[in-house]
C-alpha cells in the first residue's frame, strides 16, 4: 500500500507500519497522561484511559482528501481495496508489540509516573482513527471480534463514504461518523471526495448509522471561515443519523493541513461552543454534556442517556465485552454508566490570553514538580523501610 519513500517518511514521524497496510502511533495524550498531565477529552467524556490506549489504523488509504487533514497529499487514496489482506491476529499482536516498543523510551524517566507506565503495558482501548479509512480493511470484522474477545474497547472513525461496511460492521464500542459539511457543495469543497456519488453515500451512511445497535457518535470538525455555517442543515443530517453523541471539535492547525489552511481557520473553544449551540437549537432531544478546552471540543448527548436527571455517558467496559460476544441484541445504554460529576458541564469560559496561559503553565509546572518530589520522597522512604525490614529478617 505504501511506497518505500512514504513508509520511511511515516517511520520518521514515529509511525510504525504493521504488515502491508496498518500503522500505529503513540497518541500525544497517551504521553501526556503518562507524565501525569491529564488525559484526552475521551477520558472526560467516556472514561477512556488515555495511557492504555492504542492509536492505530488498518488502512493508510482514504477515499477523501479533506483540506483540514494533517496528512500530506502523498498519502495513498483509493475508492476500493487493491492490496494484500493481512491476517487480523497478526495485525493485533504486531500493533500491540509496536506500541510497547514505542513506549519503552518512557520507562524509568523521572518525568513519567511509574504506576501509569506499568498500567500502559496493558492496552484497554484501541482508537481506529489514526489515519486513512480503517473500515475498508476487508477483514475489519474479524479484527474487531478479536479485540472484543480480549476485552479491548474499540472506537472506529469512518468518513461516511462506505455505507455497506457500516451496515455489516461487527460490534464496536463507539462508532464515529465524520460529518464535515452541511451541504453537498460544501462537502465537495471540504472533503475533496473521490466518489462522484459522495453525497448519496453520506445519506446512506447516516441511515446505516441510525440502524446500528451500539453507541454512535457524529463528529463535526469545525473549520473557521469554511464549514461553520448552515446549522439547520447540519441538524437535519444529524437527526437522520440519530447518533447517541455529537462532538463539535475545532480544526487543529497541524501537519500538512498547514499547506492548505492558515491558523485563522482554527476556531477558539468559545467559537466552537457557540457554533454547537447554534446547531443544538434545532436538536430538541439533545443537550450539552461536557467540554474539553485543550482539545477545543464540546460534547452533546441524546437525552436517552440522561436517566433520572443523571448523565450516563461513561463506558461500562466489562458489560460491552459481555454483550459484544453474546450474539444477543443490545443498545448503547446497556453498557453505559454514570458520568462522574467532575466531568460534566459546559461553561461560558473564554480561551485564556497568552499571558494568562503562561501564568497557568508556570503554576502547573510548580504543581507537577511538587507532585514528582512527593512521589520521589515517598519512594525513597518506602525503599529505606524495606531495606530496614530485610536487615531485621
Ligand atoms: S482515545 Fe484518541 S485522543 Fe484519546 S488517547 Fe486514544 S488516540 Fe489519543
Amino acid at each position: 500500500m505504501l511506497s518505500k519513500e512514504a513508509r520511511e517518511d511515516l517511520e520518521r514521524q514515529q509511525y510504525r507500519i504493521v504488515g502491508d497496510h496498518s500503522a500505529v502511533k503513540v497518541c500525544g495524550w497517551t504521553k501526556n497522561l503518562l507524565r501525569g498531565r491529564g488525559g484526552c477529552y475521551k477520558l472526560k467524556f467516556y472514561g477512556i484511559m488515555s495511557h492504555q490506549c492504542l492509536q492505530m489504523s488498518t488502512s493508510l488509504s482514504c477515499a477523501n482528501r479533506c483540506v483540514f487533514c494533517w496528512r500530506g497529499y502523498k498519502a495513498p487514496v483509493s475508492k476500493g481495496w487493491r492490496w494484500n489482506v493481512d491476517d487480523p491476529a497478526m495485525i493485533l499482536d504486531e500493533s500491540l508489540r509496536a506500541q510497547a516498543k514505542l513506549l519503552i523510551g518512557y520507562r524509568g524517566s523521572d518525568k513519567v509516573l511509574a504506576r501509569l507506565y506499568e498500567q500502559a503495558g496493558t492496552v484497554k482501548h484501541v482508537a481506529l482513527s489514526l489515519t486513512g479509512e480503517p473500515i475498508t480493511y476487508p477483514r475489519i470484522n474479524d479484527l474487531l471480534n478479536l479485540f472484543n474477545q480480549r476485552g479491548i474497547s474499540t472506537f472506529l472513525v469512518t468518513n461516511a463514504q462506505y455505507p455497506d461496511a457500516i451496515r455489516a460492521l461487527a460490534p464496536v464500542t463507539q462508532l464515529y461518523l465524520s460529518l464535515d459539511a452541511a451541504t453537498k457543495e460544501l462537502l465537495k469543497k471540504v472533503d475533496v471526495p473521490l466518489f462522484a456519488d459522495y453525497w448519496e453515500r453520506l445519506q446512506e451512511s447516516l441511515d446505516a448509522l441510525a440502524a446500528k445497535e451500539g453507541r454512535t457518535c457524529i463528529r463535526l470538525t469545525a473549520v473557521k471561515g469554511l464549514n461553520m455555517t448552515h446549522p439547520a442543515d447540519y441538524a437535519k443530517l444529524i437527526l437522520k443519523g440519530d447518533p447517541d453523541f455529537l462532538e463539535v471539535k475545532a480544526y487543529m492547525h497541524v501537519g500538512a493541513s498547514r499547506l492548505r489552511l492558515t491558523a485563522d481557520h482554527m476556531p477558539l473553544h468559545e467559537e466552537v461552543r457557540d457554533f454547537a449551540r447554534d446547531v443544538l437549537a434545532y436538536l430538541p432531544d439533545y443537550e450539552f454534556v461536557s467540554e474539553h478546552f485543550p482539545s477545543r471540543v464540546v460534547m452533546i448527548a441524546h437525552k436517552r442517556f440522561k436517566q433520572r436527571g443523571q448523565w450516563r455517558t461513561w463506558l461500562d467496559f466489562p458489560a460491552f465485552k459481555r454483550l459484544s460476544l453474546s450474539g444477543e441484541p443490545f443498545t448503547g445504554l446497556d453498557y453505559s454508566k454514570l458520568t462522574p460529576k467532575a466531568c460534566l458541564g459546559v461553561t461560558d469560559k473564554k480561551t485564556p490570553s497568552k499571558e494568562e496561559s503562561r501564568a497557568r503553565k508556570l503554576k502547573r509546572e510548580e504543581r507537577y514538580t511538587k507532585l514528582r518530589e512527593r512521589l520521589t520522597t515517598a519512594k525513597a522512604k518506602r525503599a529505606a523501610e524495606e531495606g530496614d525490614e530485610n536487615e531485621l529478617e
Side-chain angles (χ1 to χ4, degrees):
M1 181 180 273
L2 282 180
S3 66
K4 185 166 169 299
E5 184 215 353
R7 186 179 275 261
E8 283 163 3
D9 186 36
L10 286 173
E11 297 267 351
R12 269 194 301 278
Q13 296 172 51
Q14 291 310 307
Y15 289 77
R16 291 298 170 265
I17 309 303
V18 172
D20 189 56
H21 50 73
S22 303
V24 167
K25 183 174 183 179
V26 176
C27 174
W29 287 104
T30 301
K31 300 173 187 172
N32 227 45
L33 192 53
L34 283 174
R35 294 188 184 110
R37 297 169 178 231
C40 67
Y41 73 82
K42 292 161 196 154
L43 169 55
K44 188 175 182 188
F45 297 173
Y46 313 118
I48 298 290
M49 293 301 142
S50 312
H51 65 306
Q52 294 177 292
C53 174
L54 165 67
Q55 181 182 230
M56 66 172 292
S57 181
T58 47
S59 171
L60 293 146
S61 176
C62 194
N64 282 352
R65 292 153 295 180
C66 308
V67 290
F68 58 78
C69 182
W70 49 263
R71 291 167 19 121
Y73 273 175
K74 268 195 264 143
V77 288
S78 171
K79 293 179 193 170
W81 191 272
R82 47 193 171 81
W83 302 280
N84 303 332
V85 178
D86 288 336
D87 173 66
M90 180 285 284
I91 294 175
L92 197 158
D93 293 336
E94 290 308 316
S95 299
L96 292 174
R97 224 188 301 281
Q99 171 95 343
K101 269 201 195 136
L102 284 164
L103 287 177
I104 279 181
Y106 291 79
R107 187 167 50 194
S109 153
D110 65 354
K111 290 199 174 56
V112 166
L113 301 181
R115 182 172 48 81
L116 294 185
Y117 181 81
E118 213 177 295
Q119 291 171 353
T122 308
V123 165
K124 292 215 168 154
H125 178 69
V126 61
L128 289 149
S129 59
L130 172 60
T131 180
E133 184 55 283
I135 207 169
T136 57
Y137 164 51
R139 296 191 63 190
I140 188 71
N141 288 337
D142 298 337
L143 179 64
L144 290 170
N145 288 328
L146 286 177
F147 278 121
N148 293 342
Q149 284 155 22
R150 301 232 189 149
I152 296 176
S153 62
T154 47
F155 277 22
L156 186 145
V157 179
T158 177
N159 60 18
Q161 292 297 289
Y162 297 92
D164 297 341
I166 295 175
R167 275 187 282 271
L169 203 63
V172 170
T173 314
Q174 191 149 304
L175 175 61
Y176 278 79
L177 186 140
S178 304
L179 179 58
D180 300 332
T183 67
K184 185 171 181 176
E185 299 66 35
L186 252 179
L187 191 65
K188 188 169 180 80
K189 194 173 168 195
V190 176
D191 282 5
V192 199
L194 294 185
F195 288 108
D197 59 344
Y198 64 92
W199 185 251
E200 291 70 26
R201 284 172 173 267
L202 168 67
Q203 305 305 320
E204 267 194 69
S205 295
L206 289 165
D207 292 335
L209 190 79
K212 294 308 286 180
E213 59 183 9
R215 287 167 55 136
T216 59
C217 180
I218 288 182
R219 183 183 310 150
L220 277 51
T221 302
V223 186
K224 198 170 165 185
L226 186 59
N227 64 358
M228 297 173 74
T229 57
H230 304 83
D233 296 313
Y234 268 118
K236 267 195 225 117
L237 295 169
I238 292 163
L239 289 170
K240 193 175 170 59
D242 185 31
D244 299 318
F245 308 104
L246 176 65
E247 291 174 6
V248 184
K249 187 176 183 314
Y251 151 66
M252 291 300 195
H253 191 56
V254 292
S257 77
R258 290 169 295 175
L259 306 170
R260 302 181 287 259
L261 298 170
T262 70
D264 296 337
H265 284 103
M266 187 163 71
L268 296 173
H269 182 78
E270 52 267 37
E271 292 169 323
V272 170
R273 190 176 54 217
D274 295 345
F275 173 59
R277 193 170 279 122
D278 296 345
V279 176
L280 191 55
Y282 300 92
L283 301 171
D285 293 331
Y286 289 81
E287 264 183 47
F288 269 132
V289 175
S290 187
E291 65 183 352
H292 189 260
F293 248 82
S295 304
R296 305 184 187 192
V297 59
V298 293
M299 191 264 278
I300 291 167
H302 193 289
K303 290 176 183 170
R304 57 182 168 246
F305 279 78
K306 193 177 191 178
Q307 297 188 339
R308 289 179 289 282
Q310 295 188 301
W311 283 108
R312 302 180 66 81
T313 68
W314 268 37
L315 285 154
D316 180 340
F317 297 105
F320 175 74
K321 180 179 179 184
R322 183 170 37 77
L323 292 162
S324 66
L325 300 176
S326 70
E328 299 299 316
F330 61 90
T331 73
L333 268 168
D334 295 331
Y335 57 96
S336 298
K337 65 182 185 183
L338 275 184
T339 316
K341 284 204 170 45
C343 298
L344 292 171
V346 172
T347 67
D348 54 9
K349 242 179 10 182
K350 295 221 172 319
T351 303
S353 66
K354 279 205 173 69
E355 295 66 38
E356 283 169 318
S357 309
R358 214 170 291 126
R360 282 187 193 168
K361 192 162 183 241
L362 278 176
K363 253 215 183 101
R364 251 197 330 271
E365 287 306 325
E366 272 166 34
R367 249 201 338 269
Y368 292 139
T369 313
K370 283 204 186 90
L371 171 70
R372 271 202 298 276
E373 277 161 9
R374 265 209 318 279
L375 286 170
T376 319
T377 326
K379 209 167 140 190
K381 194 160 161 275
R382 256 202 321 281
E385 279 156 9
E386 275 154 24
D388 296 349
E389 274 158 26
N390 295 345
E391 261 163 38
L392 284 175
E393 271 160 24

